[in-house]
Amino acid sequence: MNLGPKVQILALGLALAASGVRADQEAAVPQQGEVIERVVAVVNGDPLLLSELRTRAAPFLARVMQAPEMQRMQLMQQLYGDLLTQLIDERLLEQEARKLSISITSVDVERAIQNVQRQSGLKDAEFWEAVRGQGFQPEQYKADVRRQLVRLKVINQKVRSRINITEDDVRRRYEDQLRVARKSATFNVSHIFMAVEGDSVTKLAAARTTADELKAKLTPENFEEAMREHGGGDLGWVSQGDLPESLASTLVSLEPGQISEPVRGPGGLHIFLLKERKEGESSIGNYETVKQTIFSELLDKAMARQEAAFLEELRKQSLISRRL
């Protein structure tokens, strides 16, 4: 198994496209009398400017303006606050990258963009048209990709060594998935249903006697005729997780072609004919074919946790002044 670091490029322009957010560059233009430039934060002596924050906020302003007027100011404050936190974290990572002598070249950026293009299935012209459609110019997009590459390199260098995912970890996760999947079988089933109104013991006993007598005569061949006579129908494919426990356990115990004993459910008694069953575990696959995927999922989650912890460490070690 290859346990090396996994590097992914998440392009901001395409992420915004997926969320349905469009850029509104006109909304970012300062109005008459509005402050054009000032320092909104200082990170270890390195200033962050209002213009940087406005540029980052521009793609989200259209969504804010669609909100009711009374909510806009609150949403704007939340947006700018969240984005300022993001800018501070990025500046901390850039400062850390300089300490680690990490550099990102134009070749690195172009290679990353080519990877995104291949994954998107878009040709070069179509790709950049999609980027512009989200309100981003190519240079803005490339700058964002560069920031993400800086982040990935710093995180991999500082955090990856903290993570140790073993074969046993992967195997345990696989077995956990199997246990869940085995409880999510689906059944192609028909049933005869005898309604029992209320909680009358006498009515329930009478219905069970009738159901027991009927069950003794049932075969797969005459089941449909009995459904028409007594009630019920073809349920099609039903999921184990969507059924009451008593009904699900009855279906689990049957083999295709078998007819169940009468079983009580909400509102009455059921007699089931199981036609087909699909085991949930079949969707998991065997261990050898899925172990790399499981490892990647475990690694992604561990990296996310460790990245959050690392950023918190950087914040505590730094002098950060927010002036927004």
Side-chain angles (χ1 to χ4, degrees), residues 122-141:
L122 298 175
K123 296 180 180 178
D124 190 69
E126 295 172 330
F127 177 81
W128 290 113
E129 182 180 354
V131 169
R132 291 187 180 92
Q134 297 307 310
F136 292 88
Q137 295 302 313
E139 291 309 313
Q140 291 176 298
Y141 183 86

Side-chain angles (χ1 to χ4, degrees), residues 76-111:
M76 188 71 75
Q77 291 173 345
Q78 181 180 345
L79 171 64
Y80 271 63
D82 291 344
L83 290 175
L84 182 58
T85 298
Q86 180 180 318
L87 284 170
I88 290 171
D89 287 346
E90 289 175 359
R91 191 60 53 90
L92 287 171
L93 289 172
E94 289 173 2
Q95 293 170 354
E96 193 68 18
R98 288 196 291 270
K99 295 177 185 177
L100 298 171
S101 299
I102 290 174
S103 61
I104 303 297
T105 68
S106 59
V107 174
D108 295 328
V109 173
E110 291 300 328
R111 186 182 297 117

Side-chain angles (χ1 to χ4, degrees), residues 162 306-318:
R162 303 180 184 182
Q306 291 297 333
E307 179 181 349
F310 175 65
L311 281 169
E312 185 60 29
E313 292 171 12
L314 286 181
R315 295 184 197 113
K316 290 179 179 179
Q317 297 166 4
S318 301

Side-chain angles (χ1 to χ4, degrees), residues 26-317:
E26 292 182 0
V29 176
Q31 302 300 312
Q32 185 175 3
E34 187 177 355
V35 175
I36 296 176
E37 191 64 287
R38 67 182 176 90
V39 174
V40 292
V42 179
V43 183
N44 294 321
D46 195 357
L48 288 171
L49 302 178
L50 180 61
S51 57
E52 297 177 75
L53 186 57
R54 280 182 168 146
T55 298
R56 194 64 62 87
F60 303 96
L61 294 179
R63 175 178 292 179
V64 172
M65 298 309 292
Q66 290 172 1
E69 187 173 354
M70 295 184 63
Q71 299 178 16
R72 289 177 193 169
M73 182 58 68
Q74 180 181 353
L75 290 173
M76 188 71 75
Q77 291 173 345
Q78 181 180 345
L79 171 64
Y80 271 63
D82 291 344
L83 290 175
L84 182 58
T85 298
Q86 180 180 318
L87 284 170
I88 290 171
D89 287 346
E90 289 175 359
R91 191 60 53 90
L92 287 171
L93 289 172
E94 289 173 2
Q95 293 170 354
E96 193 68 18
R98 288 196 291 270
K99 295 177 185 177
L100 298 171
S101 299
I102 290 174
S103 61
I104 303 297
T105 68
S106 59
V107 174
D108 295 328
V109 173
E110 291 300 328
R111 186 182 297 117
I113 292 174
Q114 289 169 8
N115 287 337
V116 176
Q117 284 180 294
R118 281 195 296 270
Q119 293 169 13
S120 68
L122 298 175
K123 296 180 180 178
D124 190 69
E126 295 172 330
F127 177 81
W128 290 113
E129 182 180 354
V131 169
R132 291 187 180 92
Q134 297 307 310
F136 292 88
Q137 295 302 313
E139 291 309 313
Q140 291 176 298
Y141 183 86
K142 291 176 182 179
D144 183 70
V145 171
R146 180 194 170 279
R147 285 191 295 267
Q148 293 181 58
L149 289 174
V150 169
R151 167 185 159 270
L152 288 168
K153 285 195 173 185
V154 171
I155 295 302
N156 272 287
Q157 189 164 331
K158 298 293 291 187
V159 168
R160 183 63 182 87
S161 60
R162 303 180 184 182
I163 299 170
N164 180 30
I165 298 174
T166 67
E167 186 87 16
D168 288 342
D169 295 328
V170 176
R171 174 69 71 173
R172 279 193 294 271
R173 177 58 180 158
Y174 176 74
E175 291 173 353
D176 287 344
Q177 290 179 347
L178 276 183
R179 279 192 289 272
V180 172
R182 285 170 181 154
K183 296 179 181 180
S184 60
T186 55
F187 309 95
N188 186 3
V189 63
S190 296
H191 77 145
I192 295 169
F193 180 67
M194 298 180 178
V196 179
E197 297 181 1
D199 296 324
S200 170
V201 175
T202 302
K203 290 182 179 180
L204 177 61
R208 187 170 291 279
T209 297
T210 302
D212 287 339
E213 292 174 353
L214 175 61
K215 166 62 173 65
K217 303 174 184 177
L218 286 174
T219 67
E221 290 73 25
N222 65 18
F223 197 89
E224 185 173 347
E225 180 182 349
M227 283 194 304
R228 290 194 295 268
E229 181 178 350
H230 296 279
D234 186 1
L235 297 176
W237 286 97
V238 296
S239 173
Q240 180 178 350
D242 294 335
L243 296 171
E245 180 60 32
S246 60
L247 303 186
S249 60
T250 297
L251 292 176
V252 167
S253 67
L254 296 177
E255 295 297 329
Q258 285 188 322
I259 297 172
S260 75
E261 297 296 325
V263 57
R264 187 176 182 181
L269 297 173
H270 301 263
I271 302 176
F272 292 110
L273 168 62
L274 180 62
K275 300 176 181 178
E276 300 176 76
R277 173 170 52 201
K278 293 180 181 178
E279 299 295 345
E281 64 187 278
S282 63
S283 63
I284 301 298
N286 65 62
Y287 177 71
E288 290 301 322
T289 61
V290 301
K291 66 179 182 179
Q292 186 61 46
T293 299
I294 294 174
F295 168 78
S296 297
E297 292 171 353
L298 291 176
L299 178 60
D300 286 345
K301 291 179 180 179
M303 288 287 284
R305 290 193 299 269
Q306 291 297 333
E307 179 181 349
F310 175 65
L311 281 169
E312 185 60 29
E313 292 171 12
L314 286 181
R315 295 184 197 113
K316 290 179 179 179
Q317 297 166 4

